[in-house]
Amino acid sequence: MNVLIVGGGGREHAIAASIAKSRHNPKIYAAPGNAGIEQFAELVDIDVMEGERLADFAEKKSIDLTVIGQDDPLVAGITDIFEKRGLRVFGPRKNAAIIEGSKIFAKDLMKKYHIPTGGYESFDSVEKAFAYLETCRMPVVVKADGLALGKGVLICNHLEEAKKAAEDMIQGHKFGDAGSHIVIEEFLTGREVSVLCYCDGTHILPMTSAQDHKRAKDNDEGLNTGGMGAFSPSPFYTKEIQEFCEKNIYRRTMDAMKAEGRDFVGILFVGLILTEDGPKVLEYNARFGDPEAQVVLPRMKNDMIDVIDACLNGSLDKTVLEFEQNAAVCVVLASDGYPESYEKGKRISGLQNFTNKEGYYVFHAGTKRDGGEIITNGGRVLGVTAKGKDLKEARENAYAATDWIQFENKYKRNDIGKSIR
Ligand code: GLY
């Protein structure tokens, strides 16, 4: 069986590692992949946004299944391109990926179908946004409607700050077209939990829970990043909360998308916040989370290709997901200065320490091969994941393993999962 994975980050490395274990013994290709994915896959030098070229490749190489890891090709409609050519592809169509591609669509969907979320209004006029902001209690959240490389969500503590954010997005085109429409949303407080769900258009199967750490520095200080680490499961996601979410959030979202004629087949990422008034949805994504995939997938016992097949065949109701009764923690090793300015091209040593180490993983994100060496090639360089019998042990193991890797300007947070038991 031939499988193509589209993407080149830590998430796609975790997907590749999971698929490589399949009983179907797949030959894996990754476009563009990275220096770590290379361990499992032949790399293909085609950009994720070149849907037609990727489909050409899939036809030429008789690819049986393409798995789309990244959000932007999904939102742009890569699944539709593949399906038109009769190619099997895992990821929502454009009309369903809009749940991530448009924050306004997602919020309007939740309002219409009574899915718990924060109060909000949407705007494309600065004047109207300003008038609304005058009525809001601070802080508020100002969000660009479209994809903005994870940077389009601003928490504003003061009115003037919120007005500037709205103006920068709508009039200043800070995020290009993605910010020409905005959402102004109530600021919610509570524990955040990420739940990634397999979906077959009708049925939805939530995986084990996780939590990421978005800020660059310890104690959740510093700028927002793509994620500096994650842990799974979340001890705050109790059985009672899970049952509430299954009934009032996951099931309802699937039904809502179906009712709108936008059957969702793929991974639905539900970003939850556990407020005093109960769980609410902060955001949806249309793919695996990163770094969440780096702690969730190593704990999954199922054969990933079988689960994806069930999604594509509409038979997910016959699948039972199984996760190991343990925990995993991922600590991201970044280039110092990320997410602002940082240097690349530093030689990485110590990667071989992870070879054949049961329960330890090093997922590549910003790396590249340079002759016989692997060098840094991005802000988030590697995700070091370790399992343990519980979160405490997994955290100790993961931090110990971060010392196995060396590169100049290596930076990490020291408190991933620290506020948990
Ligand atoms: N960790 C958040 C995301 O993948 O968008």
Side-chain angles (χ1 to χ4, degrees), residues 18-95:
S18 197
I19 286 180
K21 289 189 301 190
S22 168
R23 69 186 171 89
H24 299 281
N25 195 21
K27 156 88 179 144
I28 306 176
Y29 297 87
N34 64 34
I37 297 176
E38 214 178 14
Q39 177 194 346
F40 303 110
E42 192 174 311
L43 302 190
V44 183
D45 189 17
I46 304 178
D47 187 81
V48 297
M49 297 306 285
E50 293 187 88
E52 298 287 356
R53 278 190 71 205
L54 288 165
D56 289 344
F57 177 85
E59 279 175 353
K60 192 166 134 217
K61 293 285 183 182
S62 305
I63 299 292
D64 301 292
L65 171 67
T66 299
V67 180
I68 314 295
Q70 234 170 279
D71 46 16
D72 29 0
L74 287 168
V75 169
I78 191 170
T79 297
D80 308 60
I81 293 173
F82 273 62
E83 283 186 347
K84 258 192 211 125
R85 299 212 202 170
L87 294 162
R88 284 180 89 237
V89 55
F90 184 59
R93 292 179 189 147
K94 184 174 181 172
N95 77 349

Side-chain angles (χ1 to χ4, degrees), residues 11 212 214 226 269 283 285 287-292:
R11 165 184 45 215
D212 73 349
K214 292 199 178 83
F269 169 134
E283 62 169 356
N285 295 315
R287 35 77 193 171
F288 281 104
D290 198 358
E292 287 92 335

